[in-house]
Amino acid sequence: MKVYTKTGDAGQTSLLSKERVYKDSARVQAYGTVDEANAAMGLAKSLTEKDWAKEIIHKIQGELIFLNADLATAEVTNHSNSRISNTHIESLEKLIDSLEERRIPQPYFVTPGSTAAGAALDLARTITRRAERCVVALKREEQVFAPVPLYLNRLSDLLFVLARCVEQEELLVNITKKVQGILEPSAFNNNAKLSIPVLTKSRQLLDAARNKALEMGIAMVIAIVDNNGTLVVQERMDNSLLASVALALDKAYTAVALRMPTAQAAALAAPGQELYGINTTNSRLVVFGGGLPIYDQGILFGGIGVSGGSVAQDILVANAGLAAF
């Protein structure tokens, strides 16, 4: 059988009942738009490396073929005869709930395009919304199986959540690679020797930071780690917050691990920035100010972390400690 049949040259096509209708009819517009959404989902499936996502997409693509068969059926005498049922809709809802549990909440409007697969899923989502609008228009003129518009509505919701989960996982993989690159020790740092005793200098830094905190009248916790992120000295001032003990140490660790001030890491970890989500890859990474890396003539000495005041106050005390170097 040839691909071109010439039967549609006059601008008409056949429904499942063999009834001939014009290609721009509301019914053909509806199932044609669903077919477009299916193609966009195929693009997303080819772009993602996540097997679990490919399985979800492939299953739905099969269901869309049945849904289009329902849309190509003009005579709806019994809604129980539809190929898409409430069971399919319930399955989508359960899938949405499970994906919502695994995705990172995003309390802002999403701009598509963070990853290729996520962008393709967002494209499929918007086409599915258009298909739903086409079906709503069709229902005002002709009969449509009841589950069809409900399925499309839930599908668009699913595609939104699926896009977020796929792009977040891909972003975390990219971030992990970047962090691993940052954490790999350089040959220079491995071979060079620090010009001063670590413990002696760490105590000097801690004393300077404590004096600044006393001058400001704020009870703080100050931690100094070596260039491996291991604690060297830590002091908890009277009446400082218990939570600050862990926070000060983790700020110092983060400054060494990322080789940058934690305030800079905070800016890079903001939504849409290069290191967005980095704090979810390692529970010790703290992405707000108060941690600074310490260098001795270009060699990473360690890090200082301060917690107990506002972010600005923590940074001020950390800088006072760093100035003693």
Side-chain angles (χ1 to χ4, degrees):
M1 181 177 178
K2 291 184 178 181
V3 173
Y4 59 92
T5 61
K6 301 184 179 181
T7 57
D9 289 357
Q12 291 187 326
T13 188
S14 295
L15 301 178
L16 288 182
S17 63
K18 306 301 181 183
E19 177 188 352
R20 301 290 290 177
V21 296
Y22 281 101
K23 293 180 180 181
D24 64 350
S25 70
R27 190 170 294 278
V28 177
Q29 290 277 17
Y31 67 67
T33 307
V34 171
D35 190 35
E36 189 180 341
N38 199 335
M41 290 181 66
L43 176 62
K45 184 171 67 177
S46 71
L47 290 173
T48 183
E49 297 180 357
K50 306 298 178 184
D51 289 337
W52 63 267
K54 289 182 179 181
E55 291 177 7
I56 291 174
I57 295 170
H58 188 76
K59 180 176 181 294
I60 293 171
Q61 285 182 294
E63 292 176 356
L64 288 181
I65 294 174
F66 291 120
L67 184 138
N68 262 356
D70 281 345
L71 282 173
T73 302
E75 296 181 2
V76 180
T77 56
N78 187 344
H79 284 281
S80 63
N81 292 332
S82 63
R83 298 160 185 83
I84 292 297
S85 66
N86 289 329
T87 301
H88 293 97
I89 297 168
E90 291 169 2
S91 177
L92 290 181
E93 291 173 347
K94 290 179 181 178
L95 191 52
I96 292 170
D97 292 340
S98 67
L99 290 174
E100 277 284 68
E101 291 178 0
R102 68 192 292 178
R103 83 178 180 104
I104 303 169
Q106 295 165 284
Y108 53 86
F109 286 106
V110 174
T111 301
S114 295
T115 66
L121 285 167
D122 279 316
L123 176 63
R125 169 181 58 83
T126 57
I127 296 173
T128 301
R129 286 291 192 192
R130 177 153 51 87
E132 182 187 5
R133 293 193 294 271
C134 289
V135 171
V136 170
L138 174 63
K139 283 182 64 178
R140 289 202 295 266
E141 301 175 10
E142 304 178 40
Q143 288 188 318
V144 176
F145 285 113
V148 169
L150 298 178
Y151 183 95
L152 291 174
N153 180 271
R154 301 302 188 277
L155 176 57
S156 62
D157 291 335
L158 171 64
L159 291 173
F160 173 81
V161 180
L162 182 60
R164 305 292 74 78
C165 288
V166 165
E167 69 184 8
Q168 285 175 357
E169 284 200 11
E170 291 183 4
L171 286 171
L172 286 176
V173 169
N174 293 334
I175 289 169
T176 301
K177 289 179 180 177
K178 290 179 181 178
V179 171
Q180 288 173 342
I182 293 172
L183 296 181
E184 287 179 1
S186 66
F188 178 72
N189 277 345
N190 282 343
N191 298 329
K193 292 184 178 179
L194 294 169
S195 63
I196 49 178
V198 173
L199 180 58
T200 300
K201 199 61 181 178
S202 295
R203 284 174 173 161
Q204 291 176 8
L205 268 68
L206 190 144
D207 289 343
R210 183 206 311 115
N211 290 338
K212 184 63 176 178
L214 289 170
E215 176 188 317
M216 296 168 62
I218 302 173
M220 292 187 166
V221 178
I222 304 154
I224 312 290
V225 300
D226 63 17
N227 56 13
N228 291 315
T230 303
L231 178 65
V232 180
V233 290
Q234 184 172 25
E235 179 174 321
R236 180 188 179 195
M237 297 172 63
D238 291 340
N239 299 319
S240 60
L241 296 173
L242 179 60
S244 294
V245 176
L247 283 173
L249 178 57
D250 287 346
K251 286 183 183 183
Y253 169 86
T254 303
V256 169
L258 300 183
R259 298 180 190 170
M260 67 175 70
T262 53
Q264 182 182 347
L268 292 175
Q273 297 303 309
E274 186 177 6
L275 294 183
Y276 173 60
I278 191 172
N279 51 310
T280 66
T281 66
N282 184 328
S283 60
R284 291 199 63 188
L285 295 178
V286 177
V287 288
F288 48 89
L292 298 172
I294 307 166
Y295 287 91
D296 173 23
Q297 299 179 10
I299 304 171
L300 184 64
F301 172 90
I304 180 171
V306 177
S307 177
S310 66
V311 169
Q313 291 167 335
D314 290 348
I315 294 172
L316 194 61
V317 172
N319 276 312
L322 190 60
F325 206 80

